[in-house]
Amino acid sequence: QVQLVESGGGLVQAGGSLRLSCKASGMTFSTSAMGWYRQAPGKLRELVARIDSGGNTDLADSVKGRFTISRDNRKNTVYLQMSTLKPEDTAVYYCNAKVSSGRWLNDYWGQGTQVTVSS
């Protein structure tokens, strides 16, 4: 079965950096679109960044110029490099995989990793 395991979250001061990793298994990683979402307390889950199988990326306006998403198909891992972090970036960050199954596109989620940015 598909498994997504995130790591790299933690507590950081405003202006600092963190790199999140998400290792995938049980799926054909190289042909799957991957993404990072986040959910802050009392708010809806929102898209932060995504990357398709060709390496094309899309980032939320709130993180453009500060965050970068990348993937390493040899390691079945997607990364989120976060720089110049702000308190409003505090949230649980979730890895997402969109895996094709015939005509269907299925969503899979990791367990989430907490990112806390102190002011």
Side-chain angles (χ1 to χ4, degrees):
Q1 70 278 21
V2 176
Q3 279 195 310
L4 303 173
V5 180
E6 300 111 332
S7 60
L11 174 64
V12 64
Q13 287 189 330
S17 299
L18 282 175
R19 188 177 80 156
L20 305 184
S21 301
C22 171
K23 185 167 178 61
S25 60
M27 57 182 274
T28 305
F29 181 82
S30 61
T31 61
S32 299
M34 303 295 297
W36 287 96
Y37 289 71
R38 67 186 180 187
Q39 187 167 17
K43 295 189 176 181
L44 297 175
R45 190 173 297 189
E46 63 176 358
L47 174 68
V48 177
R50 55 190 173 190
I51 183 168
D52 67 14
S53 59
N56 300 299
T57 63
D58 186 26
L59 286 90
D61 287 344
S62 59
V63 305
K64 282 180 180 176
R66 301 189 298 122
F67 291 12
T68 303
I69 186 171
S70 61
R71 64 191 299 159
D72 186 337
N73 289 340
R74 297 168 301 173
K75 297 181 178 180
N76 284 6
T77 301
V78 62
Y79 303 98
L80 185 69
Q81 178 67 49
M82 304 185 293
S83 303
T84 319
L85 282 160
K86 303 176 181 180
E88 51 263 44
D89 295 317
T90 295
V92 178
Y93 284 70
Y94 296 92
C95 179
N96 171 263
K98 297 192 183 300
V99 182
S100 175
S101 175
R103 292 185 298 168
W104 307 104
L105 197 62
N106 299 305
D107 271 308
Y108 294 92
W109 297 91
Q111 81 284 357
T113 186
Q114 177 71 46
V115 171
T116 302
V117 184
S118 63
S119 57

